[in-house]
Amino acid sequence: MAVDELDTRILRLLLEQPRTSVREYARMLGVARDTLQARMDRLERDGVITGTGPSLSPAALGHPVLAFVHIEVTQGRLDEVGDALAAVPEIIEAFSITGGGDLLTRVVARDNAHLEDVVQSLISMPGVVRTRTEVALRERVPHRVLPLVESIGRTPND
């Protein structure tokens, strides 16, 4: 789908000021409320806007340790292991990947001992061959989408 300059401005406001009303967004952008709502509905329908809930901090919820766990899976059991991972609350994301391993998970834990317990539970899952864990020391670039939105919204002459 094409994202034009108005869409980019809308997305920027949604990211920078997520608690503002549609009426206020329309005022800030200088467009009719119905125009704004139609654009937002289209962006949602097209899968550009995927959620409107709050962004939560696992660290503030008592899970300051972040690790990336690569999981190698027995051939033919990827779906089964993926379903089992969904039942582990400390796994906040999981992706099928290429390269070294079959799955990459983002895991949070209360401390290193808790992380070890989570990793041991992953190793014991049927279909898991081995894991490799990398502990994150510090977040250097937080999850963000705004720079991408801005780069897409630019015209070739910008």
Side-chain angles (χ1 to χ4, degrees), residues 26-123:
R27 187 196 65 72
M28 294 166 76
L29 293 169
V31 298
R33 184 192 178 287
D34 289 343
T35 300
L36 177 67
Q37 189 63 60
R39 290 289 187 117
M40 289 175 61
D41 291 345
R42 180 179 53 80
L43 291 166
E44 284 184 32
R45 194 172 47 252
D46 291 347
V48 175
I49 298 173
T50 58
T52 58
S55 179
L56 304 178
S57 166
L61 292 170
H63 289 69
V65 176
L66 171 63
F68 297 92
V69 180
H70 299 257
I71 302 172
E72 188 177 322
V73 177
T74 304
Q75 198 161 4
R77 298 189 74 180
L78 191 60
D79 289 339
E80 177 186 336
V81 172
D83 291 344
L85 294 177
V88 179
E90 294 87 357
I91 294 179
I92 57 175
E93 289 183 297
F95 302 92
S96 299
I97 60 168
T98 62
D102 300 297
L103 293 163
L104 175 64
T105 62
R106 191 161 73 133
V107 178
V108 294
R110 293 183 302 272
D111 53 35
N112 288 346
H114 181 217
L115 175 60
E116 182 182 12
D117 292 343
V118 172
V119 171
Q120 289 301 318
S121 74
L122 298 178
I123 292 169

